[in-house]
Amino acid sequence: MNTQTFDVTGMTCGHCVSAVSSEIQQIPGVTDVTVDLAAGGTSTVTVTSDTPVSETDVATALDEAGDYHLATI
Amino acid sequence: MNTQTFDVTGMTCGHCVSAVSSEIQQIPGVTDVTVDLAAGGTSTVTVTSDTPVSETDVATALDEAGDYHLATI
């Protein structure tokens, strides 16, 4: 079991959390997604999966969910 | 045909606009709803209807849509 966290920008409300969670859940191997919402700031998305998920897969899921992006460091 | 505007707080994104528009559309007589989103501020909701809608009906629709409220003046 793998647990990874991703910093995500663009989420402002519970609807955004639902949209993002739903898309990331569809990445193969993902068993759980939790979001610590920082409305308008950088939210933390925690992904639990059988095998590690790639940043590319997460970024693609975010794009499919809406105008959400991995925070650049 | 009646056109009324309401000041609404609590909307932050397009999902909120969809939720609010959908609920207000269900008020009897309403034919069109448009939202000028002011994310995190006071948004303007314009309601077109056959007969005037009451503030109470709009407030109820906002509550059903989520944590949205008529702005108090």
Side-chain angles (χ1 to χ4, degrees):
Chain A
M1 193 66 70
N2 301 272
T3 301
Q4 296 162 273
T5 61
F6 298 91
D7 292 336
V8 177
T9 60
M11 289 192 272
T12 57
C13 72
H15 300 112
C16 299
V17 171
S18 297
V20 165
S21 299
S22 175
E23 284 296 335
I24 293 180
Q25 281 279 7
Q26 293 177 40
I27 299 173
V30 169
T31 56
D32 192 44
V33 181
T34 60
V35 177
D36 182 11
L37 176 66
T42 303
S43 300
T44 302
V45 177
T46 303
V47 179
T48 307
S49 55
D50 296 329
T51 53
V53 298
S54 69
E55 284 208 358
T56 302
D57 282 351
V58 173
T60 299
L62 292 175
D63 187 57
E64 285 168 358
D67 192 19
Y68 311 109
H69 302 277
L70 288 174
T72 50
I73 303 171
Chain B
M1 193 65 67
N2 301 271
T3 302
Q4 296 163 274
T5 60
F6 300 90
D7 291 336
V8 176
T9 59
M11 289 193 272
T12 57
C13 72
H15 300 113
C16 299
V17 171
S18 297
V20 165
S21 299
S22 176
E23 284 295 334
I24 293 179
Q25 281 277 8
Q26 293 176 39
I27 299 174
V30 169
T31 55
D32 192 44
V33 181
T34 59
V35 177
D36 182 12
L37 176 66
T42 302
S43 299
T44 302
V45 177
T46 304
V47 179
T48 306
S49 55
D50 296 329
T51 54
V53 297
S54 69
E55 284 209 358
T56 303
D57 283 351
V58 173
T60 300
L62 292 176
D63 188 58
E64 285 168 357
D67 192 18
Y68 311 110
H69 302 278
L70 288 173
T72 51
I73 301 171

